[in-house]
Amino acid sequence: MNEVILHIGGKDYAVACAPGEEGHVAQLGQSIDAKIRSLGDGVTTSEIQRLLFGALFLADELHETKATAAQDTARHQAEHAALSQEKRAAALALGKRDQLETKVAELESELNGLQSAQQHHSAEVDSMRAELQERRDEAQALIDEKAAATSRIAELERERDSLASQIENKNKLLENANRLIDEANARIAAVSSAAAATAKGGEIDPELAPALERFADLLENCADKLEAQ
């Protein structure tokens, strides 16, 4: 143990203390001496009373100091609790941020997949549109060919009807020619018979027979031309 001499109230006191606490004990002695001097020299009190008052003053200050320290400790604890809560909230926010970042990454991956699928779908749609346009062009070509064939068929039908009408007219003309030929042949036969009968009774007109022959040749030529047409 070490010993410290304290000067309090004009007197010296020897106080034992642990090694290293000499300065702290000396400071306490100065505080007590200051409190005793604050009581004044004119106060008629005994030394013990003065020491008691000084100790009471120091105890009061120590109580206030402890109260203030308790308040500071409570405030510090509240601030520490608030800080801890803020740290927990910050940690929770960081966790949520990480979750959101993970979710954003997943959504970006899904978006990239959707964009890729959309591009593939667009390519398929373009291919289908091109194929559909080809089919439309082919269908239009077939429609045009059908229209041309229909027009050609109508033209051929008109030609057929015209040929049928011409054939019918030629047949009528041929029938008329044949009828005329038959009539002419009958007349020629009648004239020939008449000529033969006349020849028995007298001479035949020399111009009648050639005329009849020329008439018969003319009718045959007409019949041949009609048949050739």
Side-chain angles (χ1 to χ4, degrees), residues 165-212:
S165 178
Q166 291 177 6
I167 290 171
E168 185 178 359
N169 292 331
K170 287 180 180 180
N171 290 331
K172 290 181 179 179
L173 291 174
L174 184 60
E175 290 177 357
N176 292 330
N178 290 329
R179 182 175 55 79
L180 292 175
I181 289 171
D182 293 338
E183 292 178 355
N185 288 329
R187 289 180 181 180
I188 290 171
V191 171
S192 297
S193 297
T198 304
K200 290 179 179 181
E203 296 180 356
I204 300 174
D205 186 357
E207 295 182 355
L208 180 59
L212 292 174

mmCIF file of all heavy atoms in Angstrom, residues 165-212:
data_model
loop_
_atom_site.group_PDB
_atom_site.id
_atom_site.type_symbol
_atom_site.label_atom_id
_atom_site.label_comp_id
_atom_site.label_asym_id
_atom_site.label_seq_id
_atom_site.Cartn_x
_atom_site.Cartn_y
_atom_site.Cartn_z
ATOM 1 N N SER A 165 -73.396 -24.162 -137.854
ATOM 2 C CA SER A 165 -74.348 -23.390 -138.672
ATOM 3 C C SER A 165 -73.948 -23.418 -140.134
ATOM 4 O O SER A 165 -74.805 -23.582 -141.028
ATOM 5 C CB SER A 165 -74.398 -21.950 -138.157
ATOM 6 O OG SER A 165 -75.266 -21.165 -138.956
ATOM 7 N N GLN A 166 -72.608 -23.292 -140.379
ATOM 8 C CA GLN A 166 -72.158 -23.335 -141.770
ATOM 9 C C GLN A 166 -72.425 -24.711 -142.390
ATOM 10 O O GLN A 166 -72.849 -24.821 -143.554
ATOM 11 C CB GLN A 166 -70.664 -23.016 -141.843
ATOM 12 C CG GLN A 166 -70.334 -21.570 -141.497
ATOM 13 C CD GLN A 166 -68.840 -21.308 -141.520
ATOM 14 O OE1 GLN A 166 -68.062 -22.189 -141.902
ATOM 15 N NE2 GLN A 166 -68.458 -20.106 -141.117
ATOM 16 N N ILE A 167 -72.159 -25.778 -141.579
ATOM 17 C CA ILE A 167 -72.403 -27.137 -142.086
ATOM 18 C C ILE A 167 -73.886 -27.328 -142.398
ATOM 19 O O ILE A 167 -74.267 -27.916 -143.427
ATOM 20 C CB ILE A 167 -71.918 -28.167 -141.066
ATOM 21 C CG1 ILE A 167 -70.393 -28.151 -141.005
ATOM 22 C CG2 ILE A 167 -72.415 -29.568 -141.432
ATOM 23 C CD1 ILE A 167 -69.817 -28.986 -139.884
ATOM 24 N N GLU A 168 -74.695 -26.805 -141.478
ATOM 25 C CA GLU A 168 -76.141 -26.941 -141.718
ATOM 26 C C GLU A 168 -76.557 -26.198 -142.979
ATOM 27 O O GLU A 168 -77.348 -26.712 -143.799
ATOM 28 C CB GLU A 168 -76.888 -26.401 -140.499
ATOM 29 C CG GLU A 168 -78.401 -26.596 -140.597
ATOM 30 C CD GLU A 168 -79.117 -26.091 -139.357
ATOM 31 O OE1 GLU A 168 -78.417 -25.610 -138.424
ATOM 32 O OE2 GLU A 168 -80.362 -26.186 -139.313
ATOM 33 N N ASN A 169 -75.986 -24.972 -143.136
ATOM 34 C CA ASN A 169 -76.320 -24.205 -144.355
ATOM 35 C C ASN A 169 -75.820 -24.924 -145.603
ATOM 36 O O ASN A 169 -76.513 -24.975 -146.646
ATOM 37 C CB ASN A 169 -75.718 -22.808 -144.285
ATOM 38 C CG ASN A 169 -76.375 -21.949 -143.204
ATOM 39 O OD1 ASN A 169 -77.559 -22.151 -142.886
ATOM 40 N ND2 ASN A 169 -75.626 -21.007 -142.635
ATOM 41 N N LYS A 170 -74.575 -25.494 -145.487
ATOM 42 C CA LYS A 170 -74.046 -26.215 -146.646
ATOM 43 C C LYS A 170 -74.885 -27.452 -146.954
ATOM 44 O O LYS A 170 -75.100 -27.799 -148.121
ATOM 45 C CB LYS A 170 -72.599 -26.617 -146.380
ATOM 46 C CG LYS A 170 -71.641 -25.432 -146.440
ATOM 47 C CD LYS A 170 -70.212 -25.875 -146.161
ATOM 48 C CE LYS A 170 -69.254 -24.688 -146.215
ATOM 49 N NZ LYS A 170 -67.863 -25.092 -145.957
ATOM 50 N N ASN A 171 -75.304 -28.119 -145.877
ATOM 51 C CA ASN A 171 -76.157 -29.286 -146.103
ATOM 52 C C ASN A 171 -77.451 -28.900 -146.806
ATOM 53 O O ASN A 171 -77.930 -29.608 -147.706
ATOM 54 C CB ASN A 171 -76.468 -29.978 -144.781
ATOM 55 C CG ASN A 171 -75.240 -30.680 -144.196
ATOM 56 O OD1 ASN A 171 -74.368 -31.098 -144.950
ATOM 57 N ND2 ASN A 171 -75.197 -30.806 -142.879
ATOM 58 N N LYS A 172 -77.988 -27.758 -146.367
ATOM 59 C CA LYS A 172 -79.217 -27.295 -147.038
ATOM 60 C C LYS A 172 -78.941 -26.954 -148.486
ATOM 61 O O LYS A 172 -79.725 -27.309 -149.392
ATOM 62 C CB LYS A 172 -79.781 -26.076 -146.307
ATOM 63 C CG LYS A 172 -80.362 -26.404 -144.937
ATOM 64 C CD LYS A 172 -80.924 -25.155 -144.284
ATOM 65 C CE LYS A 172 -81.530 -25.485 -142.922
ATOM 66 N NZ LYS A 172 -82.074 -24.273 -142.255
ATOM 67 N N LEU A 173 -77.770 -26.251 -148.687
ATOM 68 C CA LEU A 173 -77.428 -25.915 -150.078
ATOM 69 C C LEU A 173 -77.179 -27.168 -150.902
ATOM 70 O O LEU A 173 -77.565 -27.256 -152.080
ATOM 71 C CB LEU A 173 -76.178 -25.019 -150.105
ATOM 72 C CG LEU A 173 -76.359 -23.602 -149.543
ATOM 73 C CD1 LEU A 173 -75.009 -22.880 -149.503
ATOM 74 C CD2 LEU A 173 -77.352 -22.805 -150.388
ATOM 75 N N LEU A 174 -76.499 -28.152 -150.235
ATOM 76 C CA LEU A 174 -76.226 -29.401 -150.944
ATOM 77 C C LEU A 174 -77.526 -30.135 -151.274
ATOM 78 O O LEU A 174 -77.681 -30.693 -152.369
ATOM 79 C CB LEU A 174 -75.314 -30.279 -150.085
ATOM 80 C CG LEU A 174 -74.860 -31.594 -150.724
ATOM 81 C CD1 LEU A 174 -74.079 -31.327 -152.019
ATOM 82 C CD2 LEU A 174 -74.005 -32.399 -149.750
ATOM 83 N N GLU A 175 -78.445 -30.113 -150.321
ATOM 84 C CA GLU A 175 -79.731 -30.751 -150.590
ATOM 85 C C GLU A 175 -80.441 -30.048 -151.741
ATOM 86 O O GLU A 175 -81.016 -30.711 -152.636
ATOM 87 C CB GLU A 175 -80.597 -30.713 -149.329
ATOM 88 C CG GLU A 175 -80.102 -31.630 -148.228
ATOM 89 C CD GLU A 175 -80.948 -31.505 -146.975
ATOM 90 O OE1 GLU A 175 -81.873 -30.657 -146.963
ATOM 91 O OE2 GLU A 175 -80.685 -32.233 -145.989
ATOM 92 N N ASN A 176 -80.370 -28.698 -151.703
ATOM 93 C CA ASN A 176 -80.996 -27.943 -152.808
ATOM 94 C C ASN A 176 -80.309 -28.258 -154.129
ATOM 95 O O ASN A 176 -80.962 -28.417 -155.192
ATOM 96 C CB ASN A 176 -80.954 -26.460 -152.530
ATOM 97 C CG ASN A 176 -81.856 -26.054 -151.361
ATOM 98 O OD1 ASN A 176 -82.894 -26.716 -151.132
ATOM 99 N ND2 ASN A 176 -81.502 -25.007 -150.645
ATOM 100 N N ALA A 177 -78.949 -28.343 -154.066
ATOM 101 C CA ALA A 177 -78.220 -28.626 -155.310
ATOM 102 C C ALA A 177 -78.559 -30.025 -155.825
ATOM 103 O O ALA A 177 -78.756 -30.225 -157.039
ATOM 104 C CB ALA A 177 -76.711 -28.492 -155.064
ATOM 105 N N ASN A 178 -78.583 -30.973 -154.891
ATOM 106 C CA ASN A 178 -78.927 -32.332 -155.301
ATOM 107 C C ASN A 178 -80.340 -32.371 -155.876
ATOM 108 O O ASN A 178 -80.611 -33.095 -156.854
ATOM 109 C CB ASN A 178 -78.821 -33.294 -154.125
ATOM 110 C CG ASN A 178 -77.354 -33.525 -153.711
ATOM 111 O OD1 ASN A 178 -76.455 -33.477 -154.570
ATOM 112 N ND2 ASN A 178 -77.120 -33.791 -152.441
ATOM 113 N N ARG A 179 -81.235 -31.620 -155.230
ATOM 114 C CA ARG A 179 -82.607 -31.584 -155.748
ATOM 115 C C ARG A 179 -82.633 -30.981 -157.148
ATOM 116 O O ARG A 179 -83.316 -31.479 -158.063
ATOM 117 C CB ARG A 179 -83.486 -30.781 -154.804
ATOM 118 C CG ARG A 179 -84.950 -30.712 -155.228
ATOM 119 C CD ARG A 179 -85.752 -29.992 -154.141
ATOM 120 N NE ARG A 179 -85.214 -28.694 -153.842
ATOM 121 C CZ ARG A 179 -85.433 -27.595 -154.603
ATOM 122 N NH1 ARG A 179 -86.152 -27.688 -155.729
ATOM 123 N NH2 ARG A 179 -84.913 -26.441 -154.252
ATOM 124 N N LEU A 180 -81.831 -29.870 -157.310
ATOM 125 C CA LEU A 180 -81.780 -29.240 -158.633
ATOM 126 C C LEU A 180 -81.174 -30.189 -159.666
ATOM 127 O O LEU A 180 -81.607 -30.248 -160.832
ATOM 128 C CB LEU A 180 -80.981 -27.939 -158.564
ATOM 129 C CG LEU A 180 -81.627 -26.805 -157.763
ATOM 130 C CD1 LEU A 180 -80.673 -25.610 -157.662
ATOM 131 C CD2 LEU A 180 -82.947 -26.352 -158.410
ATOM 132 N N ILE A 181 -80.100 -30.919 -159.168
ATOM 133 C CA ILE A 181 -79.463 -31.868 -160.099
ATOM 134 C C ILE A 181 -80.461 -32.955 -160.503
ATOM 135 O O ILE A 181 -80.553 -33.348 -161.681
ATOM 136 C CB ILE A 181 -78.216 -32.472 -159.442
ATOM 137 C CG1 ILE A 181 -77.116 -31.403 -159.341
ATOM 138 C CG2 ILE A 181 -77.691 -33.662 -160.239
ATOM 139 C CD1 ILE A 181 -75.928 -31.848 -158.520
ATOM 140 N N ASP A 182 -81.172 -33.441 -159.486
ATOM 141 C CA ASP A 182 -82.162 -34.480 -159.795
ATOM 142 C C ASP A 182 -83.211 -33.953 -160.766
ATOM 143 O O ASP A 182 -83.612 -34.644 -161.720
ATOM 144 C CB ASP A 182 -82.823 -34.971 -158.502
ATOM 145 C CG ASP A 182 -81.837 -35.725 -157.611
ATOM 146 O OD1 ASP A 182 -80.824 -36.230 -158.117
ATOM 147 O OD2 ASP A 182 -82.094 -35.802 -156.359
ATOM 148 N N GLU A 183 -83.650 -32.698 -160.469
ATOM 149 C CA GLU A 183 -84.640 -32.110 -161.377
ATOM 150 C C GLU A 183 -84.062 -31.938 -162.787
ATOM 151 O O GLU A 183 -84.728 -32.210 -163.799
ATOM 152 C CB GLU A 183 -85.125 -30.764 -160.827
ATOM 153 C CG GLU A 183 -85.945 -30.890 -159.552
ATOM 154 C CD GLU A 183 -86.359 -29.534 -159.011
ATOM 155 O OE1 GLU A 183 -85.922 -28.504 -159.568
ATOM 156 O OE2 GLU A 183 -87.109 -29.493 -158.003
ATOM 157 N N ALA A 184 -82.747 -31.485 -162.769
ATOM 158 C CA ALA A 184 -82.123 -31.284 -164.096
ATOM 159 C C ALA A 184 -81.949 -32.602 -164.829
ATOM 160 O O ALA A 184 -82.153 -32.712 -166.041
ATOM 161 C CB ALA A 184 -80.761 -30.596 -163.912
ATOM 162 N N ASN A 185 -81.540 -33.625 -164.057
ATOM 163 C CA ASN A 185 -81.375 -34.944 -164.679
ATOM 164 C C ASN A 185 -82.723 -35.453 -165.220
ATOM 165 O O ASN A 185 -82.795 -36.068 -166.291
ATOM 166 C CB ASN A 185 -80.804 -35.947 -163.684
ATOM 167 C CG ASN A 185 -79.324 -35.663 -163.381
ATOM 168 O OD1 ASN A 185 -78.609 -35.161 -164.265
ATOM 169 N ND2 ASN A 185 -78.874 -35.998 -162.178
ATOM 170 N N ALA A 186 -83.767 -35.201 -164.407
ATOM 171 C CA ALA A 186 -85.094 -35.631 -164.867
ATOM 172 C C ALA A 186 -85.486 -34.886 -166.135
ATOM 173 O O ALA A 186 -86.031 -35.486 -167.075
ATOM 174 C CB ALA A 186 -86.110 -35.383 -163.738
ATOM 175 N N ARG A 187 -85.182 -33.585 -166.169
ATOM 176 C CA ARG A 187 -85.517 -32.803 -167.366
ATOM 177 C C ARG A 187 -84.676 -33.265 -168.557
ATOM 178 O O ARG A 187 -85.156 -33.342 -169.701
ATOM 179 C CB ARG A 187 -85.287 -31.323 -167.113
ATOM 180 C CG ARG A 187 -86.320 -30.744 -166.155
ATOM 181 C CD ARG A 187 -86.051 -29.260 -165.936
ATOM 182 N NE ARG A 187 -87.036 -28.708 -164.999
ATOM 183 C CZ ARG A 187 -87.039 -27.428 -164.615
ATOM 184 N NH1 ARG A 187 -86.104 -26.588 -165.099
ATOM 185 N NH2 ARG A 187 -87.953 -26.991 -163.780
ATOM 186 N N ILE A 188 -83.342 -33.547 -168.183
ATOM 187 C CA ILE A 188 -82.490 -34.024 -169.286
ATOM 188 C C ILE A 188 -83.019 -35.335 -169.838
ATOM 189 O O ILE A 188 -83.053 -35.575 -171.063
ATOM 190 C CB ILE A 188 -81.050 -34.164 -168.781
ATOM 191 C CG1 ILE A 188 -80.450 -32.782 -168.514
ATOM 192 C CG2 ILE A 188 -80.185 -34.917 -169.787
ATOM 193 C CD1 ILE A 188 -79.110 -32.823 -167.808
ATOM 194 N N ALA A 189 -83.427 -36.220 -168.860
ATOM 195 C CA ALA A 189 -83.971 -37.506 -169.329
ATOM 196 C C ALA A 189 -85.236 -37.301 -170.168
ATOM 197 O O ALA A 189 -85.446 -37.949 -171.214
ATOM 198 C CB ALA A 189 -84.272 -38.394 -168.116
ATOM 199 N N ALA A 190 -86.060 -36.354 -169.696
ATOM 200 C CA ALA A 190 -87.294 -36.085 -170.440
ATOM 201 C C ALA A 190 -86.995 -35.507 -171.812
ATOM 202 O O ALA A 190 -87.580 -35.888 -172.829
ATOM 203 C CB ALA A 190 -88.183 -35.132 -169.637
ATOM 204 N N VAL A 191 -85.979 -34.582 -171.792
ATOM 205 C CA VAL A 191 -85.616 -33.969 -173.078
ATOM 206 C C VAL A 191 -85.008 -35.021 -173.992
ATOM 207 O O VAL A 191 -85.249 -35.045 -175.208
ATOM 208 C CB VAL A 191 -84.653 -32.798 -172.839
ATOM 209 C CG1 VAL A 191 -84.081 -32.296 -174.163
ATOM 210 C CG2 VAL A 191 -85.374 -31.674 -172.117
ATOM 211 N N SER A 192 -84.174 -35.896 -173.371
ATOM 212 C CA SER A 192 -83.543 -36.953 -174.185
ATOM 213 C C SER A 192 -84.612 -37.879 -174.783
ATOM 214 O O SER A 192 -84.513 -38.284 -175.943
ATOM 215 C CB SER A 192 -82.561 -37.757 -173.312
ATOM 216 O OG SER A 192 -81.513 -36.936 -172.857
ATOM 217 N N SER A 193 -85.602 -38.193 -173.961
ATOM 218 C CA SER A 193 -86.696 -39.057 -174.471
ATOM 219 C C SER A 193 -87.456 -38.363 -175.588
ATOM 220 O O SER A 193 -87.794 -38.981 -176.614
ATOM 221 C CB SER A 193 -87.659 -39.406 -173.309
ATOM 222 O OG SER A 193 -86.972 -40.148 -172.331
ATOM 223 N N ALA A 194 -87.670 -37.072 -175.331
ATOM 224 C CA ALA A 194 -88.378 -36.309 -176.360
ATOM 225 C C ALA A 194 -87.546 -36.223 -177.620
ATOM 226 O O ALA A 194 -88.054 -36.323 -178.750
ATOM 227 C CB ALA A 194 -88.705 -34.906 -175.816
ATOM 228 N N ALA A 195 -86.237 -36.076 -177.413
ATOM 229 C CA ALA A 195 -85.349 -35.966 -178.575
ATOM 230 C C ALA A 195 -85.316 -37.287 -179.326
ATOM 231 O O ALA A 195 -85.282 -37.326 -180.559
ATOM 232 C CB ALA A 195 -83.933 -35.569 -178.112
ATOM 233 N N ALA A 196 -85.293 -38.390 -178.543
ATOM 234 C CA ALA A 196 -85.264 -39.696 -179.200
ATOM 235 C C ALA A 196 -86.556 -39.927 -179.992
ATOM 236 O O ALA A 196 -86.539 -40.452 -181.107
ATOM 237 C CB ALA A 196 -85.081 -40.803 -178.144
ATOM 238 N N ALA A 197 -87.685 -39.489 -179.370
ATOM 239 C CA ALA A 197 -88.971 -39.652 -180.084
ATOM 240 C C ALA A 197 -88.993 -38.772 -181.305
ATOM 241 O O ALA A 197 -89.511 -39.162 -182.363
ATOM 242 C CB ALA A 197 -90.126 -39.305 -179.129
ATOM 243 N N THR A 198 -88.466 -37.650 -181.215
ATOM 244 C CA THR A 198 -88.458 -36.724 -182.347
ATOM 245 C C THR A 198 -87.563 -37.265 -183.439
ATOM 246 O O THR A 198 -87.808 -37.105 -184.631
ATOM 247 C CB THR A 198 -87.969 -35.330 -181.907
ATOM 248 O OG1 THR A 198 -88.790 -34.878 -180.836
ATOM 249 C CG2 THR A 198 -88.005 -34.340 -183.057
ATOM 250 N N ALA A 199 -86.434 -37.936 -182.963
ATOM 251 C CA ALA A 199 -85.490 -38.467 -183.937
ATOM 252 C C ALA A 199 -86.157 -39.535 -184.787
ATOM 253 O O ALA A 199 -85.823 -39.715 -185.969
ATOM 254 C CB ALA A 199 -84.264 -39.047 -183.237
ATOM 255 N N LYS A 200 -87.093 -40.214 -184.257
ATOM 256 C CA LYS A 200 -87.781 -41.223 -185.031
ATOM 257 C C LYS A 200 -88.652 -40.561 -186.095
ATOM 258 O O LYS A 200 -88.838 -41.101 -187.167
ATOM 259 C CB LYS A 200 -88.659 -42.094 -184.129
ATOM 260 C CG LYS A 200 -87.857 -43.005 -183.218
ATOM 261 C CD LYS A 200 -88.770 -43.818 -182.330
ATOM 262 C CE LYS A 200 -87.984 -44.759 -181.434
ATOM 263 N NZ LYS A 200 -88.875 -45.571 -180.579
ATOM 264 N N GLY A 201 -89.153 -39.426 -185.730
ATOM 265 C CA GLY A 201 -90.069 -38.798 -186.677
ATOM 266 C C GLY A 201 -89.394 -37.805 -187.592
ATOM 267 O O GLY A 201 -89.923 -37.420 -188.606
ATOM 268 N N GLY A 202 -88.215 -37.392 -187.219
ATOM 269 C CA GLY A 202 -87.540 -36.398 -188.061
ATOM 270 C C GLY A 202 -86.175 -36.071 -187.506
ATOM 271 O O GLY A 202 -85.606 -36.800 -186.696
ATOM 272 N N GLU A 203 -85.639 -34.915 -187.870
ATOM 273 C CA GLU A 203 -84.299 -34.525 -187.444
ATOM 274 C C GLU A 203 -84.327 -33.840 -186.074
ATOM 275 O O GLU A 203 -85.283 -33.189 -185.738
ATOM 276 C CB GLU A 203 -83.692 -33.564 -188.481
ATOM 277 C CG GLU A 203 -83.494 -34.216 -189.841
ATOM 278 C CD GLU A 203 -82.889 -33.266 -190.853
ATOM 279 O OE1 GLU A 203 -82.709 -32.054 -190.485
ATOM 280 O OE2 GLU A 203 -82.569 -33.684 -191.957
ATOM 281 N N ILE A 204 -83.182 -33.998 -185.334
ATOM 282 C CA ILE A 204 -83.064 -33.368 -183.997
ATOM 283 C C ILE A 204 -82.398 -32.019 -184.145
ATOM 284 O O ILE A 204 -81.481 -31.833 -184.937
ATOM 285 C CB ILE A 204 -82.229 -34.252 -183.062
ATOM 286 C CG1 ILE A 204 -82.905 -35.627 -182.918
ATOM 287 C CG2 ILE A 204 -82.047 -33.619 -181.705
ATOM 288 C CD1 ILE A 204 -82.076 -36.605 -182.139
ATOM 289 N N ASP A 205 -82.841 -31.059 -183.336
ATOM 290 C CA ASP A 205 -82.224 -29.715 -183.333
ATOM 291 C C ASP A 205 -80.781 -29.868 -182.911
ATOM 292 O O ASP A 205 -80.478 -30.351 -181.790
ATOM 293 C CB ASP A 205 -82.979 -28.803 -182.358
ATOM 294 C CG ASP A 205 -82.467 -27.373 -182.445
ATOM 295 O OD1 ASP A 205 -81.509 -27.101 -183.209
ATOM 296 O OD2 ASP A 205 -83.001 -26.515 -181.675
ATOM 297 N N PRO A 206 -79.817 -29.510 -183.727
ATOM 298 C CA PRO A 206 -78.402 -29.733 -183.400
ATOM 299 C C PRO A 206 -77.939 -28.912 -182.211
ATOM 300 O O PRO A 206 -76.963 -29.260 -181.561
ATOM 301 C CB PRO A 206 -77.682 -29.312 -184.694
ATOM 302 C CG PRO A 206 -78.617 -28.412 -185.388
ATOM 303 C CD PRO A 206 -80.007 -28.853 -185.037
ATOM 304 N N GLU A 207 -78.553 -27.845 -181.846
ATOM 305 C CA GLU A 207 -78.113 -27.011 -180.715
ATOM 306 C C GLU A 207 -78.716 -27.459 -179.398
ATOM 307 O O GLU A 207 -78.293 -27.026 -178.328
ATOM 308 C CB GLU A 207 -78.505 -25.553 -180.967
ATOM 309 C CG GLU A 207 -77.791 -24.968 -182.163
ATOM 310 C CD GLU A 207 -78.164 -23.508 -182.376
ATOM 311 O OE1 GLU A 207 -79.059 -23.020 -181.609
ATOM 312 O OE2 GLU A 207 -77.601 -22.852 -183.247
ATOM 313 N N LEU A 208 -79.733 -28.310 -179.409
ATOM 314 C CA LEU A 208 -80.418 -28.684 -178.160
ATOM 315 C C LEU A 208 -79.567 -29.624 -177.321
ATOM 316 O O LEU A 208 -79.405 -29.448 -176.105
ATOM 317 C CB LEU A 208 -81.767 -29.344 -178.490
ATOM 318 C CG LEU A 208 -82.598 -29.785 -177.289
ATOM 319 C CD1 LEU A 208 -82.915 -28.599 -176.390
ATOM 320 C CD2 LEU A 208 -83.879 -30.478 -177.766
ATOM 321 N N ALA A 209 -78.964 -30.640 -177.892
ATOM 322 C CA ALA A 209 -78.192 -31.628 -177.117
ATOM 323 C C ALA A 209 -76.977 -31.004 -176.443
ATOM 324 O O ALA A 209 -76.741 -31.197 -175.229
ATOM 325 C CB ALA A 209 -77.781 -32.784 -178.011
ATOM 326 N N PRO A 210 -76.154 -30.199 -177.114
ATOM 327 C CA PRO A 210 -75.001 -29.577 -176.410
ATOM 328 C C PRO A 210 -75.450 -28.657 -175.300
ATOM 329 O O PRO A 210 -74.803 -28.590 -174.243
ATOM 330 C CB PRO A 210 -74.283 -28.806 -177.528
ATOM 331 C CG PRO A 210 -74.662 -29.512 -178.780
ATOM 332 C CD PRO A 210 -76.079 -29.964 -178.588
ATOM 333 N N ALA A 211 -76.513 -27.952 -175.493
ATOM 334 C CA ALA A 211 -76.997 -27.041 -174.443
ATOM 335 C C ALA A 211 -77.404 -27.820 -173.215
ATOM 336 O O ALA A 211 -77.105 -27.434 -172.071
ATOM 337 C CB ALA A 211 -78.161 -26.218 -174.976
ATOM 338 N N LEU A 212 -78.057 -28.951 -173.467
ATOM 339 C CA LEU A 212 -78.454 -29.760 -172.326
ATOM 340 C C LEU A 212 -77.243 -30.334 -171.605
ATOM 341 O O LEU A 212 -77.198 -30.405 -170.361
ATOM 342 C CB LEU A 212 -79.387 -30.881 -172.811
ATOM 343 C CG LEU A 212 -80.760 -30.429 -173.318
ATOM 344 C CD1 LEU A 212 -81.520 -31.619 -173.902
ATOM 345 C CD2 LEU A 212 -81.565 -29.784 -172.198
#
